[in-house]
Amino acid sequence: MKTTLKTAAPAALIALGLATAASAELKIGASVSATGPAAFLGDPEAKTLEMLVEDLNAKGGINGEPVELVLYDDGGDANKARTFATRLIEDDEVQAIIGGTTTGTSMSILAVAEDAEVPFISLAGAIDIIQPVKPWTFKTPHTDRMACQKIFEDMQKQGIARIGMISGTDGFGASMQAQCKDVVADYGIEVVADETYDPKDADMTAQLTKIKNAEGVQAVLNPGFGQGPSIVTRNYKQLAIDLPLYQSHGVASDGFIELAGADAAEGVRLPGTALLVAALLAEGDAQKPVVTAYKAAYEGKFKQPVSTFGGYAHDGFALLTDAVTRAGSTEPQAIRDALEATKALAGTTGIYTMTPEDHLGLDLSAFRMLQVKDGKWTIAP
């Protein structure tokens, strides 16, 4: 097994393992944001991919052949991601790519992968990544549109009909804001206040004050990821806004609670994955064996809490290795065809069933509605 972690400086390489590139039957490329503003997403993704490749090779690889991972750190820069995708295909000669921590980097990678006809599994949330369907592009996280639908389903059950929105202007926040606005009327809910913030902003009290003063507002939704939602949550508490606060699946991790503060985050609701509530899953839950095994392996190896985002990488790797095993081939076309034929594959994010019309393969049942209680994620009542 060989894992190579590469950054923008090609000379600064860290090689892990003993096998040479020539001995690896399957060569997987990856570009994730292990450093930079999206590092809280990309770092667990990189660690997960390295761990899974090491574990798989220790068990004999795929069909008796070792797997090689060539991993680049794009730092969240879409231009670097495009460069690395090109390098992975042309220089490293990978047969498939996993990565694209953010929507921006994913869109850069998929443009290269589609042109080169190499399968790409994205780890980002925006619906634009897979709709319209692109022949060579798949992804593991729920779409932002699905997150909106899950949130509005919950609001509807709570009798909430008028909401305020405060959205990040980054790619993820802007995309989810648009998707939420597109489906909100389907649930009989009206957006009565609509504010935005720059991801670099350090205070959102002005926007939240406007929302607080909006007539009839019953809850607030914050599409966003990164530090922004944590600041929103802290400001929300400081302003003593006594309304339900909903966040996106983009902050579904223990890191969000830590950044926001357990006291401020108390009661926050969001759509998340089974991974965050592994210990609370019923014994018959089809995802429980997968999430508990991944959680134990990751936390045992890295001594840090597992995250939803590492789970996306876990599922990308599971989808790819399952496809290669079923195809009995490492040819990109064979891998692509097998990915598209994935049936009932249990991952940390959901149970995947792909079709030519659906390169995600998840429905709303894959989401669990979660709530912060006493500083921990729980299944929302």
Side-chain angles (χ1 to χ4, degrees):
M1 184 272 289
K2 177 186 174 187
T3 301
T4 306
L5 175 62
K6 303 183 179 182
T7 65
L13 307 183
I14 303 173
L16 306 175
L18 301 175
T20 65
S23 68
E25 181 69 20
L26 176 64
K27 199 171 186 181
I28 302 170
S31 178
V32 298
S33 306
T35 60
F40 72 101
L41 308 173
D43 178 65
E45 292 170 354
K47 286 185 169 72
T48 294
L49 290 173
E50 291 171 340
M51 178 185 76
L52 293 175
V53 169
E54 182 178 355
D55 181 62
L56 180 61
N57 284 333
K59 295 175 180 176
I62 300 177
N63 300 326
E65 297 287 347
V67 173
E68 181 182 354
L69 174 67
V70 182
L71 176 62
Y72 286 94
D73 173 15
D74 57 45
D77 186 312
N79 290 325
K80 287 182 181 177
R82 182 185 296 272
T83 298
F84 291 152
T86 301
R87 190 178 300 171
L88 284 167
I89 293 167
E90 295 183 357
D91 298 340
D92 300 315
E93 298 181 340
V94 302
Q95 292 109 328
I97 299 174
I98 299 173
T101 297
T102 68
T103 296
T105 56
S106 283
M107 297 304 286
S108 290
I109 296 168
L110 78 83
V112 177
E114 288 290 329
D115 186 57
E117 298 187 344
V118 170
F120 168 51
I121 302 175
S122 168
L123 309 180
I127 194 171
D128 294 346
I129 295 166
I130 47 120
Q131 287 190 18
V133 173
K134 300 160 186 70
W136 297 86
T137 300
F138 303 80
K139 84 183 195 78
T140 57
H142 312 81
T143 68
D144 43 13
R145 189 180 187 90
M146 293 169 69
C148 296
Q149 292 168 325
K150 190 72 175 183
I151 289 168
F152 293 148
E153 272 188 1
D154 189 71
M155 287 182 174
Q156 197 175 50
K157 290 175 185 175
Q158 308 295 325
I160 295 168
R162 292 167 64 84
I163 68 168
M165 285 178 61
I166 177 167
S167 311
T169 55
D170 56 275
F172 177 89
S175 177
M176 185 170 173
Q177 179 199 45
Q179 293 301 321
C180 284
K181 287 181 178 179
D182 196 44
V183 300
V184 65
D186 297 341
Y187 297 85
I189 297 171
E190 181 184 0
V191 178
V192 297
D194 186 17
E195 299 290 329
T196 61
Y197 59 86
D198 186 278
K200 296 178 182 178
D201 287 351
D203 185 274
M204 288 74 160
T205 53
Q207 297 98 312
L208 287 170
T209 299
K210 291 180 183 178
I211 293 173
K212 180 181 181 180
N213 293 333
E215 185 176 353
V217 65
Q218 296 171 286
V220 178
L221 168 58
N222 177 200
F225 87 105
Q227 68 174 2
S230 296
I231 296 170
V232 167
T233 304
R234 291 200 299 269
N235 291 162
Y236 205 83
K237 175 71 173 179
Q238 291 160 359
L239 290 170
I241 301 176
D242 189 23
L243 298 170
L245 175 59
Y246 288 79
Q247 294 284 358
S248 79
H249 59 314
V251 296
S253 73
D254 289 342
F256 163 73
I257 299 175
E258 184 178 342
L259 284 172
D263 186 49
E266 183 73 12
V268 166
R269 297 169 80 94
L270 57 71
T273 69
L275 184 59
L276 289 183
V277 287
L280 303 179
L281 300 178
E283 285 305 317
D285 193 302
Q287 288 182 260
K288 185 160 188 172
V290 178
V291 298
T292 52
Y294 170 59
K295 178 180 172 67
Y298 185 94
E299 294 182 351
K301 184 175 180 65
F302 299 110
K303 311 304 179 188
Q304 59 185 224
V306 76
S307 82
T308 298
F309 316 110
Y312 295 155
H314 170 283
D315 292 358
F317 187 78
L319 285 164
L320 178 57
T321 53
D322 173 69
V324 172
T325 301
R326 285 186 290 104
S329 170
T330 58
E331 290 300 315
Q333 181 70 56
I335 296 172
R336 191 220 77 87
D337 293 347
L339 279 169
E340 196 172 76
T342 299
K343 303 294 181 190
L345 178 74
T348 68
T349 309
I351 299 175
Y352 296 88
T353 295
M354 306 277 192
T355 69
E357 296 76 36
D358 182 2
H359 281 194
L360 169 62
L362 299 174
D363 59 25
L364 287 187
S365 68
F367 263 135
R368 314 293 171 116
M369 204 65 203
L370 307 181
Q371 185 174 31
V372 179
K373 184 175 181 182
D374 298 326
K376 297 180 181 179
W377 294 108
T378 62
I379 298 173

